[in-house]
Each structure stands twice: as structure tokens, then as C-alpha cells.
Amino acid sequence: APVDMNSSMVVYYLVQYARGFERARGRSDESHAKRVRLRVSHIVRSLRHIEHFSRADLAELEALHKVLDLYLWLALRFPLVFPEVNKATAYQRVTHALFEKALSQGEQDVRKLFGFDPKTKSARRRRRERRQRRRLGRGADE
């Protein structure tokens, strides 16, 4: 299964889906088999209203996308138990749109989001500039 064991949200839903699957297997009649519900609409609603995404928001969005992948993967193998394929696919389209929205916030917002401040230079870049100044200084003395 496509499971990120480092994501608490994904692990939580994996356990929920496994419990639901176990309850569904206990039923002998397929027509009365218990269905495993997707149950992520509250997360989608909360993420849909965000204007500027923080790192935590993006991590939650990524985890939600992984949960939807997990549900769809299980639905391929056990379609009677995991029937909400259309809903999961629709939610995936929403997560794709939210990723696009986060990426379209502009280069400056993305730089801030990941902690890159264009005013500060990396140590490697400062060393390279010092070496260039020294070379230029030596060339002027000769």
C-alpha cells in the first residue's frame, strides 16, 4: 500500500480503513457488507478557505493527498468495501487545485515559505565573492 508511515494523518486513516475492512470481512452477505467511508470532507473544507499557505498547511495538504491515494488504492483491490471512488477522485482534484493555488502565490511568498531570504547570502556564495575580490585585487597590483 502507498503509505507514508511518517505522516500521522496517513497512519491514522490507514488504521481506520483497516478496522473498517475487518468489520466488512465479517459479513457473509456481500449486499449487506459494511462500506468503509472516506470521511475527509472536514479537512478539505478547512484547507479550501486558506488564502496563503504555511508550511503546516502544505504538509496537511500533502498528507490529505496521500490519504486519498491510499483510499483509491484500496478501492482498486476491494471495490465493494471502498466504494467512494468518485468522491475520493473529486477530492484529489480539489487538492491539485489547492497545490496550484499555493504555487501561484508568487516567488517571494514561496521563498518566505521555505525560509529563503534573498537579502541574506549563503556562506558558499560569500566565500566565492571574497575569492573573486581577492583575485581582482591581485590582478590590479601586478
Side-chain angles (χ1 to χ4, degrees), residues 13 17 35-45 48 64-65 67-73 75 79 82-96:
Y13 279 96
Y17 295 156
R35 308 300 197 270
V36 178
R37 310 291 300 198
L38 188 56
R39 300 184 193 276
V40 294
S41 60
H42 62 286
I43 301 169
V44 175
R45 274 195 305 274
R48 200 179 268 174
L64 172 62
H65 189 76
V67 167
L68 294 169
D69 273 346
L70 173 63
Y71 190 91
L72 290 170
W73 185 86
F82 297 91
E84 295 182 339
V85 174
N86 292 337
K87 187 187 281 188
T89 305
Y91 285 154
Q92 268 197 332
R93 282 194 298 273
V94 170
T95 61
H96 290 170

mmCIF file of all heavy atoms in Angstrom, residues 13 17 35-45 48 64-65 67-73 75 79 82-96:
data_model
loop_
_atom_site.group_PDB
_atom_site.id
_atom_site.type_symbol
_atom_site.label_atom_id
_atom_site.label_comp_id
_atom_site.label_asym_id
_atom_site.label_seq_id
_atom_site.Cartn_x
_atom_site.Cartn_y
_atom_site.Cartn_z
ATOM 1 N N TYR A 13 -5.553 7.224 9.194
ATOM 2 C CA TYR A 13 -6.553 6.738 8.241
ATOM 3 C C TYR A 13 -6.284 5.300 7.808
ATOM 4 O O TYR A 13 -7.227 4.541 7.567
ATOM 5 C CB TYR A 13 -6.665 7.674 7.036
ATOM 6 C CG TYR A 13 -7.533 8.869 7.341
ATOM 7 C CD1 TYR A 13 -6.981 10.072 7.749
ATOM 8 C CD2 TYR A 13 -8.907 8.774 7.249
ATOM 9 C CE1 TYR A 13 -7.789 11.162 8.045
ATOM 10 C CE2 TYR A 13 -9.724 9.855 7.549
ATOM 11 C CZ TYR A 13 -9.159 11.037 7.949
ATOM 12 O OH TYR A 13 -9.970 12.104 8.246
ATOM 13 N N TYR A 17 -9.122 2.576 8.064
ATOM 14 C CA TYR A 17 -9.531 1.775 6.910
ATOM 15 C C TYR A 17 -9.335 0.281 7.178
ATOM 16 O O TYR A 17 -10.143 -0.546 6.775
ATOM 17 C CB TYR A 17 -8.766 2.193 5.660
ATOM 18 C CG TYR A 17 -9.074 3.601 5.195
ATOM 19 C CD1 TYR A 17 -8.165 4.297 4.422
ATOM 20 C CD2 TYR A 17 -10.264 4.231 5.528
ATOM 21 C CE1 TYR A 17 -8.436 5.589 3.984
ATOM 22 C CE2 TYR A 17 -10.538 5.518 5.102
ATOM 23 C CZ TYR A 17 -9.627 6.194 4.328
ATOM 24 O OH TYR A 17 -9.897 7.458 3.903
ATOM 25 N N ARG A 35 -19.617 -0.778 4.343
ATOM 26 C CA ARG A 35 -18.748 0.000 3.471
ATOM 27 C C ARG A 35 -17.826 0.866 4.319
ATOM 28 O O ARG A 35 -18.224 1.364 5.376
ATOM 29 C CB ARG A 35 -19.557 0.919 2.553
ATOM 30 C CG ARG A 35 -20.664 0.269 1.760
ATOM 31 C CD ARG A 35 -20.136 -0.816 0.838
ATOM 32 N NE ARG A 35 -21.058 -1.195 -0.219
ATOM 33 C CZ ARG A 35 -21.960 -2.138 -0.136
ATOM 34 N NH1 ARG A 35 -22.128 -2.788 0.979
ATOM 35 N NH2 ARG A 35 -22.713 -2.453 -1.166
ATOM 36 N N VAL A 36 -16.620 1.070 3.846
ATOM 37 C CA VAL A 36 -15.672 1.934 4.532
ATOM 38 C C VAL A 36 -15.798 3.326 3.928
ATOM 39 O O VAL A 36 -15.605 3.507 2.724
ATOM 40 C CB VAL A 36 -14.223 1.403 4.411
ATOM 41 C CG1 VAL A 36 -13.255 2.343 5.091
ATOM 42 C CG2 VAL A 36 -14.123 0.012 5.014
ATOM 43 N N ARG A 37 -16.133 4.291 4.765
ATOM 44 C CA ARG A 37 -16.352 5.665 4.312
ATOM 45 C C ARG A 37 -15.033 6.422 4.229
ATOM 46 O O ARG A 37 -14.101 6.151 4.973
ATOM 47 C CB ARG A 37 -17.285 6.392 5.279
ATOM 48 C CG ARG A 37 -18.563 5.662 5.621
ATOM 49 C CD ARG A 37 -19.496 5.560 4.491
ATOM 50 N NE ARG A 37 -19.867 6.903 4.055
ATOM 51 C CZ ARG A 37 -20.908 7.172 3.325
ATOM 52 N NH1 ARG A 37 -21.698 6.209 2.949
ATOM 53 N NH2 ARG A 37 -21.177 8.398 2.957
ATOM 54 N N LEU A 38 -14.999 7.396 3.346
ATOM 55 C CA LEU A 38 -13.798 8.198 3.140
ATOM 56 C C LEU A 38 -13.548 9.143 4.315
ATOM 57 O O LEU A 38 -12.453 9.211 4.848
ATOM 58 C CB LEU A 38 -13.942 8.976 1.830
ATOM 59 C CG LEU A 38 -12.734 9.732 1.328
ATOM 60 C CD1 LEU A 38 -11.539 8.808 1.167
ATOM 61 C CD2 LEU A 38 -13.046 10.397 0.008
ATOM 62 N N ARG A 39 -14.522 9.914 4.720
ATOM 63 C CA ARG A 39 -14.516 10.783 5.901
ATOM 64 C C ARG A 39 -13.344 11.783 5.965
ATOM 65 O O ARG A 39 -12.635 11.854 6.970
ATOM 66 C CB ARG A 39 -14.542 9.965 7.183
ATOM 67 C CG ARG A 39 -15.754 9.080 7.306
ATOM 68 C CD ARG A 39 -15.783 8.363 8.633
ATOM 69 N NE ARG A 39 -16.746 7.301 8.652
ATOM 70 C CZ ARG A 39 -18.038 7.450 8.908
ATOM 71 N NH1 ARG A 39 -18.526 8.613 9.138
ATOM 72 N NH2 ARG A 39 -18.843 6.401 8.903
ATOM 73 N N VAL A 40 -13.154 12.543 4.910
ATOM 74 C CA VAL A 40 -12.122 13.590 4.916
ATOM 75 C C VAL A 40 -12.686 14.954 4.512
ATOM 76 O O VAL A 40 -11.939 15.903 4.345
ATOM 77 C CB VAL A 40 -10.928 13.230 3.994
ATOM 78 C CG1 VAL A 40 -10.179 12.029 4.509
ATOM 79 C CG2 VAL A 40 -11.372 13.048 2.567
ATOM 80 N N SER A 41 -14.002 15.054 4.385
ATOM 81 C CA SER A 41 -14.594 16.305 3.900
ATOM 82 C C SER A 41 -14.275 17.487 4.809
ATOM 83 O O SER A 41 -14.074 18.601 4.327
ATOM 84 C CB SER A 41 -16.102 16.156 3.736
ATOM 85 O OG SER A 41 -16.693 15.832 4.966
ATOM 86 N N HIS A 42 -14.195 17.271 6.115
ATOM 87 C CA HIS A 42 -13.888 18.371 7.038
ATOM 88 C C HIS A 42 -12.486 18.926 6.794
ATOM 89 O O HIS A 42 -12.255 20.128 6.919
ATOM 90 C CB HIS A 42 -14.062 17.915 8.492
ATOM 91 C CG HIS A 42 -13.137 16.809 8.895
ATOM 92 N ND1 HIS A 42 -13.306 15.508 8.465
ATOM 93 C CD2 HIS A 42 -12.028 16.807 9.658
ATOM 94 C CE1 HIS A 42 -12.342 14.755 8.965
ATOM 95 N NE2 HIS A 42 -11.553 15.519 9.691
ATOM 96 N N ILE A 43 -11.550 18.070 6.423
ATOM 97 C CA ILE A 43 -10.186 18.527 6.140
ATOM 98 C C ILE A 43 -10.164 19.329 4.844
ATOM 99 O O ILE A 43 -9.548 20.393 4.765
ATOM 100 C CB ILE A 43 -9.214 17.338 6.045
ATOM 101 C CG1 ILE A 43 -9.211 16.548 7.353
ATOM 102 C CG2 ILE A 43 -7.807 17.816 5.717
ATOM 103 C CD1 ILE A 43 -8.499 15.224 7.265
ATOM 104 N N VAL A 44 -10.872 18.831 3.838
ATOM 105 C CA VAL A 44 -10.933 19.534 2.557
ATOM 106 C C VAL A 44 -11.558 20.909 2.739
ATOM 107 O O VAL A 44 -11.053 21.911 2.215
ATOM 108 C CB VAL A 44 -11.716 18.703 1.514
ATOM 109 C CG1 VAL A 44 -11.895 19.482 0.222
ATOM 110 C CG2 VAL A 44 -11.005 17.389 1.239
ATOM 111 N N ARG A 45 -12.645 20.987 3.507
ATOM 112 C CA ARG A 45 -13.300 22.281 3.744
ATOM 113 C C ARG A 45 -12.366 23.257 4.439
ATOM 114 O O ARG A 45 -12.315 24.431 4.095
ATOM 115 C CB ARG A 45 -14.560 22.084 4.582
ATOM 116 C CG ARG A 45 -15.784 21.743 3.769
ATOM 117 C CD ARG A 45 -17.069 21.911 4.582
ATOM 118 N NE ARG A 45 -17.071 21.154 5.826
ATOM 119 C CZ ARG A 45 -17.447 19.882 5.923
ATOM 120 N NH1 ARG A 45 -17.843 19.222 4.866
ATOM 121 N NH2 ARG A 45 -17.438 19.269 7.092
ATOM 122 N N ARG A 48 -9.673 24.472 1.974
ATOM 123 C CA ARG A 48 -10.191 25.205 0.823
ATOM 124 C C ARG A 48 -10.252 26.709 1.074
ATOM 125 O O ARG A 48 -10.186 27.503 0.150
ATOM 126 C CB ARG A 48 -11.588 24.676 0.497
ATOM 127 C CG ARG A 48 -12.040 24.978 -0.906
ATOM 128 C CD ARG A 48 -13.393 24.398 -1.152
ATOM 129 N NE ARG A 48 -13.240 23.066 -1.718
ATOM 130 C CZ ARG A 48 -14.246 22.247 -1.941
ATOM 131 N NH1 ARG A 48 -15.463 22.597 -1.626
ATOM 132 N NH2 ARG A 48 -14.040 21.071 -2.473
ATOM 133 N N LEU A 64 -3.225 14.831 3.198
ATOM 134 C CA LEU A 64 -4.572 14.559 2.700
ATOM 135 C C LEU A 64 -4.508 13.887 1.334
ATOM 136 O O LEU A 64 -5.230 12.921 1.078
ATOM 137 C CB LEU A 64 -5.377 15.854 2.609
ATOM 138 C CG LEU A 64 -6.741 15.755 1.931
ATOM 139 C CD1 LEU A 64 -7.660 14.813 2.701
ATOM 140 C CD2 LEU A 64 -7.368 17.125 1.793
ATOM 141 N N HIS A 65 -3.632 14.369 0.482
ATOM 142 C CA HIS A 65 -3.485 13.765 -0.843
ATOM 143 C C HIS A 65 -3.037 12.299 -0.718
ATOM 144 O O HIS A 65 -3.529 11.433 -1.446
ATOM 145 C CB HIS A 65 -2.484 14.566 -1.670
ATOM 146 C CG HIS A 65 -2.423 14.146 -3.092
ATOM 147 N ND1 HIS A 65 -3.395 14.493 -4.005
ATOM 148 C CD2 HIS A 65 -1.536 13.387 -3.760
ATOM 149 C CE1 HIS A 65 -3.094 13.967 -5.178
ATOM 150 N NE2 HIS A 65 -1.970 13.294 -5.055
ATOM 151 N N VAL A 67 -3.671 10.329 1.841
ATOM 152 C CA VAL A 67 -4.823 9.574 2.353
ATOM 153 C C VAL A 67 -5.753 9.220 1.199
ATOM 154 O O VAL A 67 -6.252 8.089 1.102
ATOM 155 C CB VAL A 67 -5.574 10.380 3.440
ATOM 156 C CG1 VAL A 67 -6.924 9.763 3.754
ATOM 157 C CG2 VAL A 67 -4.727 10.482 4.696
ATOM 158 N N LEU A 68 -5.986 10.169 0.305
ATOM 159 C CA LEU A 68 -6.848 9.907 -0.850
ATOM 160 C C LEU A 68 -6.233 8.854 -1.765
ATOM 161 O O LEU A 68 -6.936 7.986 -2.280
ATOM 162 C CB LEU A 68 -7.100 11.208 -1.611
ATOM 163 C CG LEU A 68 -7.905 12.261 -0.840
ATOM 164 C CD1 LEU A 68 -7.864 13.595 -1.551
ATOM 165 C CD2 LEU A 68 -9.323 11.796 -0.606
ATOM 166 N N ASP A 69 -4.908 8.923 -1.956
ATOM 167 C CA ASP A 69 -4.220 7.883 -2.738
ATOM 168 C C ASP A 69 -4.414 6.512 -2.105
ATOM 169 O O ASP A 69 -4.659 5.518 -2.798
ATOM 170 C CB ASP A 69 -2.724 8.176 -2.836
ATOM 171 C CG ASP A 69 -2.380 9.085 -3.995
ATOM 172 O OD1 ASP A 69 -3.234 9.283 -4.883
ATOM 173 O OD2 ASP A 69 -1.246 9.586 -4.006
ATOM 174 N N LEU A 70 -4.291 6.452 -0.795
ATOM 175 C CA LEU A 70 -4.471 5.190 -0.075
ATOM 176 C C LEU A 70 -5.883 4.656 -0.281
ATOM 177 O O LEU A 70 -6.062 3.464 -0.583
ATOM 178 C CB LEU A 70 -4.187 5.391 1.418
ATOM 179 C CG LEU A 70 -4.494 4.215 2.332
ATOM 180 C CD1 LEU A 70 -3.628 3.013 1.988
ATOM 181 C CD2 LEU A 70 -4.314 4.626 3.790
ATOM 182 N N TYR A 71 -6.880 5.525 -0.131
ATOM 183 C CA TYR A 71 -8.269 5.077 -0.313
ATOM 184 C C TYR A 71 -8.486 4.545 -1.729
ATOM 185 O O TYR A 71 -9.091 3.489 -1.924
ATOM 186 C CB TYR A 71 -9.246 6.212 -0.014
ATOM 187 C CG TYR A 71 -10.678 5.739 0.046
ATOM 188 C CD1 TYR A 71 -11.238 5.340 1.248
ATOM 189 C CD2 TYR A 71 -11.461 5.658 -1.099
ATOM 190 C CE1 TYR A 71 -12.542 4.878 1.315
ATOM 191 C CE2 TYR A 71 -12.764 5.194 -1.050
ATOM 192 C CZ TYR A 71 -13.291 4.807 0.160
ATOM 193 O OH TYR A 71 -14.582 4.334 0.225
ATOM 194 N N LEU A 72 -7.983 5.265 -2.723
ATOM 195 C CA LEU A 72 -8.165 4.828 -4.114
ATOM 196 C C LEU A 72 -7.427 3.519 -4.384
ATOM 197 O O LEU A 72 -7.906 2.662 -5.126
ATOM 198 C CB LEU A 72 -7.710 5.920 -5.077
ATOM 199 C CG LEU A 72 -8.621 7.150 -5.108
ATOM 200 C CD1 LEU A 72 -7.974 8.276 -5.904
ATOM 201 C CD2 LEU A 72 -9.979 6.793 -5.670
ATOM 202 N N TRP A 73 -6.265 3.354 -3.778
ATOM 203 C CA TRP A 73 -5.506 2.112 -3.926
ATOM 204 C C TRP A 73 -6.299 0.943 -3.346
ATOM 205 O O TRP A 73 -6.420 -0.126 -3.958
ATOM 206 C CB TRP A 73 -4.150 2.254 -3.247
ATOM 207 C CG TRP A 73 -3.238 1.092 -3.432
ATOM 208 C CD1 TRP A 73 -2.384 0.871 -4.477
ATOM 209 C CD2 TRP A 73 -3.062 -0.014 -2.547
ATOM 210 N NE1 TRP A 73 -1.700 -0.295 -4.288
ATOM 211 C CE2 TRP A 73 -2.094 -0.860 -3.116
ATOM 212 C CE3 TRP A 73 -3.618 -0.374 -1.321
ATOM 213 C CZ2 TRP A 73 -1.681 -2.038 -2.503
ATOM 214 C CZ3 TRP A 73 -3.202 -1.543 -0.713
ATOM 215 C CH2 TRP A 73 -2.246 -2.358 -1.312
ATOM 216 N N ALA A 75 -9.540 0.911 -2.923
ATOM 217 C CA ALA A 75 -10.763 0.754 -3.722
ATOM 218 C C ALA A 75 -10.509 -0.081 -4.972
ATOM 219 O O ALA A 75 -11.403 -0.800 -5.433
ATOM 220 C CB ALA A 75 -11.314 2.122 -4.107
ATOM 221 N N PRO A 79 -13.295 -3.143 -4.204
ATOM 222 C CA PRO A 79 -14.295 -2.145 -4.608
ATOM 223 C C PRO A 79 -15.613 -2.220 -3.840
ATOM 224 O O PRO A 79 -16.290 -1.205 -3.699
ATOM 225 C CB PRO A 79 -14.501 -2.428 -6.093
ATOM 226 C CG PRO A 79 -13.998 -3.806 -6.316
ATOM 227 C CD PRO A 79 -12.959 -4.071 -5.285
ATOM 228 N N PHE A 82 -14.708 -0.388 -0.385
ATOM 229 C CA PHE A 82 -14.284 1.012 -0.523
ATOM 230 C C PHE A 82 -14.947 1.612 -1.768
ATOM 231 O O PHE A 82 -14.315 1.789 -2.805
ATOM 232 C CB PHE A 82 -12.757 1.088 -0.646
ATOM 233 C CG PHE A 82 -12.029 0.588 0.565
ATOM 234 C CD1 PHE A 82 -11.639 -0.746 0.661
ATOM 235 C CD2 PHE A 82 -11.742 1.436 1.619
ATOM 236 C CE1 PHE A 82 -10.974 -1.210 1.789
ATOM 237 C CE2 PHE A 82 -11.078 0.976 2.743
ATOM 238 C CZ PHE A 82 -10.695 -0.345 2.829
ATOM 239 N N PRO A 83 -16.238 1.950 -1.673
ATOM 240 C CA PRO A 83 -16.990 2.348 -2.866
ATOM 241 C C PRO A 83 -16.925 3.834 -3.241
ATOM 242 O O PRO A 83 -17.392 4.209 -4.310
ATOM 243 C CB PRO A 83 -18.421 1.969 -2.493
ATOM 244 C CG PRO A 83 -18.469 2.209 -1.025
ATOM 245 C CD PRO A 83 -17.110 1.800 -0.521
ATOM 246 N N GLU A 84 -16.371 4.680 -2.403
ATOM 247 C CA GLU A 84 -16.447 6.123 -2.644
ATOM 248 C C GLU A 84 -15.323 6.631 -3.553
ATOM 249 O O GLU A 84 -14.656 7.621 -3.256
ATOM 250 C CB GLU A 84 -16.464 6.871 -1.323
ATOM 251 C CG GLU A 84 -17.713 6.566 -0.509
ATOM 252 C CD GLU A 84 -17.784 7.338 0.793
ATOM 253 O OE1 GLU A 84 -16.744 7.816 1.286
ATOM 254 O OE2 GLU A 84 -18.890 7.471 1.315
ATOM 255 N N VAL A 85 -15.145 5.972 -4.669
ATOM 256 C CA VAL A 85 -14.081 6.318 -5.614
ATOM 257 C C VAL A 85 -14.320 7.689 -6.232
ATOM 258 O O VAL A 85 -13.399 8.498 -6.352
ATOM 259 C CB VAL A 85 -13.957 5.233 -6.711
ATOM 260 C CG1 VAL A 85 -12.970 5.634 -7.777
ATOM 261 C CG2 VAL A 85 -13.565 3.909 -6.080
ATOM 262 N N ASN A 86 -15.560 7.964 -6.614
ATOM 263 C CA ASN A 86 -15.862 9.254 -7.232
ATOM 264 C C ASN A 86 -15.592 10.409 -6.275
ATOM 265 O O ASN A 86 -15.052 11.446 -6.667
ATOM 266 C CB ASN A 86 -17.317 9.299 -7.713
ATOM 267 C CG ASN A 86 -17.554 8.359 -8.869
ATOM 268 O OD1 ASN A 86 -16.624 7.997 -9.581
ATOM 269 N ND2 ASN A 86 -18.794 7.950 -9.037
ATOM 270 N N LYS A 87 -15.970 10.234 -5.024
ATOM 271 C CA LYS A 87 -15.731 11.280 -4.029
ATOM 272 C C LYS A 87 -14.230 11.477 -3.802
ATOM 273 O O LYS A 87 -13.746 12.603 -3.733
ATOM 274 C CB LYS A 87 -16.413 10.914 -2.711
ATOM 275 C CG LYS A 87 -16.356 12.027 -1.679
ATOM 276 C CD LYS A 87 -16.885 11.584 -0.326
ATOM 277 C CE LYS A 87 -18.367 11.573 -0.287
ATOM 278 N NZ LYS A 87 -18.905 11.338 1.075
ATOM 279 N N ALA A 88 -13.488 10.381 -3.694
ATOM 280 C CA ALA A 88 -12.043 10.478 -3.487
ATOM 281 C C ALA A 88 -11.364 11.148 -4.683
ATOM 282 O O ALA A 88 -10.469 11.977 -4.516
ATOM 283 C CB ALA A 88 -11.444 9.091 -3.250
ATOM 284 N N THR A 89 -11.801 10.816 -5.886
ATOM 285 C CA THR A 89 -11.241 11.430 -7.093
ATOM 286 C C THR A 89 -11.562 12.921 -7.131
ATOM 287 O O THR A 89 -10.701 13.742 -7.488
ATOM 288 C CB THR A 89 -11.786 10.730 -8.347
ATOM 289 O OG1 THR A 89 -11.524 9.328 -8.239
ATOM 290 C CG2 THR A 89 -11.144 11.252 -9.603
ATOM 291 N N ALA A 90 -12.768 13.287 -6.750
ATOM 292 C CA ALA A 90 -13.146 14.706 -6.712
ATOM 293 C C ALA A 90 -12.298 15.457 -5.686
ATOM 294 O O ALA A 90 -11.829 16.575 -5.949
ATOM 295 C CB ALA A 90 -14.629 14.847 -6.385
ATOM 296 N N TYR A 91 -12.094 14.852 -4.526
ATOM 297 C CA TYR A 91 -11.254 15.487 -3.509
ATOM 298 C C TYR A 91 -9.809 15.604 -3.990
ATOM 299 O O TYR A 91 -9.121 16.565 -3.666
ATOM 300 C CB TYR A 91 -11.321 14.721 -2.191
ATOM 301 C CG TYR A 91 -12.595 14.921 -1.404
ATOM 302 C CD1 TYR A 91 -13.030 13.954 -0.517
ATOM 303 C CD2 TYR A 91 -13.373 16.065 -1.538
ATOM 304 C CE1 TYR A 91 -14.195 14.117 0.219
ATOM 305 C CE2 TYR A 91 -14.532 16.239 -0.804
ATOM 306 C CZ TYR A 91 -14.938 15.264 0.072
ATOM 307 O OH TYR A 91 -16.084 15.438 0.796
ATOM 308 N N GLN A 92 -9.340 14.631 -4.754
ATOM 309 C CA GLN A 92 -7.985 14.738 -5.301
ATOM 310 C C GLN A 92 -7.881 15.915 -6.258
ATOM 311 O O GLN A 92 -6.870 16.610 -6.275
ATOM 312 C CB GLN A 92 -7.568 13.450 -6.002
ATOM 313 C CG GLN A 92 -6.856 12.494 -5.095
ATOM 314 C CD GLN A 92 -6.106 11.431 -5.856
ATOM 315 O OE1 GLN A 92 -6.461 11.063 -6.963
ATOM 316 N NE2 GLN A 92 -5.077 10.922 -5.236
ATOM 317 N N ARG A 93 -8.910 16.134 -7.057
ATOM 318 C CA ARG A 93 -8.902 17.306 -7.943
ATOM 319 C C ARG A 93 -8.844 18.595 -7.126
ATOM 320 O O ARG A 93 -8.162 19.550 -7.497
ATOM 321 C CB ARG A 93 -10.128 17.296 -8.854
ATOM 322 C CG ARG A 93 -9.996 16.335 -10.017
ATOM 323 C CD ARG A 93 -11.046 16.570 -11.081
ATOM 324 N NE ARG A 93 -12.410 16.373 -10.619
ATOM 325 C CZ ARG A 93 -13.041 15.204 -10.612
ATOM 326 N NH1 ARG A 93 -12.430 14.120 -11.044
ATOM 327 N NH2 ARG A 93 -14.279 15.116 -10.174
ATOM 328 N N VAL A 94 -9.543 18.615 -6.000
ATOM 329 C CA VAL A 94 -9.501 19.788 -5.117
ATOM 330 C C VAL A 94 -8.088 19.979 -4.564
ATOM 331 O O VAL A 94 -7.574 21.102 -4.536
ATOM 332 C CB VAL A 94 -10.532 19.657 -3.967
ATOM 333 C CG1 VAL A 94 -10.331 20.739 -2.931
ATOM 334 C CG2 VAL A 94 -11.941 19.684 -4.516
ATOM 335 N N THR A 95 -7.447 18.887 -4.139
ATOM 336 C CA THR A 95 -6.078 19.020 -3.615
ATOM 337 C C THR A 95 -5.128 19.491 -4.707
ATOM 338 O O THR A 95 -4.241 20.308 -4.434
ATOM 339 C CB THR A 95 -5.555 17.714 -2.988
ATOM 340 O OG1 THR A 95 -5.523 16.687 -3.973
ATOM 341 C CG2 THR A 95 -6.380 17.284 -1.799
ATOM 342 N N HIS A 96 -5.308 19.030 -5.930
ATOM 343 C CA HIS A 96 -4.459 19.501 -7.035
ATOM 344 C C HIS A 96 -4.647 21.006 -7.229
ATOM 345 O O HIS A 96 -3.670 21.739 -7.403
ATOM 346 C CB HIS A 96 -4.789 18.774 -8.326
ATOM 347 C CG HIS A 96 -4.389 17.341 -8.326
ATOM 348 N ND1 HIS A 96 -4.773 16.466 -9.304
ATOM 349 C CD2 HIS A 96 -3.647 16.605 -7.467
ATOM 350 C CE1 HIS A 96 -4.285 15.270 -9.044
ATOM 351 N NE2 HIS A 96 -3.601 15.336 -7.927
#
